[in-house]
Amino acid sequence: MNRRKLVEITGIVQGVGFRPFVYGLAHARSLSGWVCNDAHGVTLEVQGDEPALDDFLHALTHALPPLARIDRCTVTDRTVLPDERGFAIRQSQPAGDACACISPDQGACPACLADVANPLDRHYRYPFTNCTHCGPRYTIIRRLPYDRPATAMADFAMCPRCAAAYRDPLDRRYHAQPVSCPECGPQLTLRGPDGRPLAEREAALAGAVAALRDGALVAVKGMGGFHLMCDAADAAAVARLRALKRRARKPLAVLCRDRRQAEPLVQASEAEWQLALSQARPITLMRKGKAALAPNLAPGVPYLGLFFPYTPLHQLLLEGCDRPLVATSANRSGAPILTEGEAVLRELGHGLDLLLD
Ligand SMILES: [Zn+2]
Ligand SMILES: [Zn+2]
């Protein structure tokens, strides 16, 4: 016998691939209905025979997409609609009193990093590659519900291939709001300390890499704001960075390309490596190892704060530099991180060599 249920879910369910997940579950069980984002989370109605519905509801709460989290799920009976066919993903309802949870920014997933490394993929070496399971979220959202026009990506019109991926419920980039590629998305610009543009795209990246290898101090726009970066083995560069940041002695974190590059620098347990390499890419404190970096990096403490690239841009930078880099938030000690290139140049430009925007 057919039944129909209304399901209302709150938690981290927007911008994490939740609607295509629901679509897939319903489709696989030949259930009809619809799903949409609203100001509180996700709402759906689903209809079909009872065993399939029970199975659907179990899977809904037990096989979540990697970044999703359910805080509350209420299920209510509804009147069966005898003529309904198929399952649809509906347009978001405009926000009333918006109170949905937003996912934090997420480190690049292995599939996206593979695209960036693949010369045959259209995202090859594109520093802003992302998908439904990774990339910026909180940083780019201006209002709810979370849809592209409500993000910092609103000004970037998708190219036909990105638009096709965005519309295909079976694509890894379905409804990934920041989806973009070299043809349609944001691009890198390398600027001098006076703000003058020096290079674009791949040449901007190459210019930043060459300067960092040469001991320069470079501000790099990351996911949540700018970092100050320099060669972690170059004591003179680290001293300049400390003076600019007005941070005399507090330890600075080090960004490493991968575990192999980091291993000589620290003595860490397997659990510490797993934590450092998890998708959130936290700065992880590890006991210092035999190989030493600049002595003024973390003076007088037995630990080193280490982290790994969390965007394709950081991955490309670290591959190019082929050495560990200091990466610390671009701000005076104690002040909030700077998120706009102009502000970085205004406050720190006198002591910077370059800015990768
Ligand atoms: Zn991804
Ligand atoms: Zn595109």
Side-chain angles (χ1 to χ4, degrees), residues 122-123 126 157-163 179-185:
R122 66 199 178 84
H123 300 91
Y126 182 57
M158 280 181 266
C159 71
R161 284 193 289 183
C162 284
V179 72
S180 59
C181 75
E183 218 177 292
C184 64

Side-chain angles (χ1 to χ4, degrees), residues 291-349:
L293 295 166
N296 50 353
L297 195 66
V301 292
Y303 295 97
L304 193 63
L306 202 120
F307 68 122
F308 292 106
Y310 55 94
T311 72
L313 172 60
H314 291 90
Q315 184 71 33
L316 293 168
L317 262 179
L318 267 287
E319 281 170 8
C321 288
D322 196 26
R323 66 194 63 193
L325 298 177
V326 174
T328 182
S329 56
N331 54 267
R332 293 266 156 74
S333 213
I337 189 167
L338 298 172
T339 57
E340 297 298 329
E342 288 72 28
V344 175
L345 291 171
R346 201 168 50 238
E347 296 205 13
L348 307 172

Side-chain angles (χ1 to χ4, degrees), residues 50-66:
E50 203 155 6
L53 267 184
D54 287 345
D55 190 48
F56 170 89
L57 291 171
H58 184 267
L60 187 66
T61 48
H62 288 84
L64 289 179

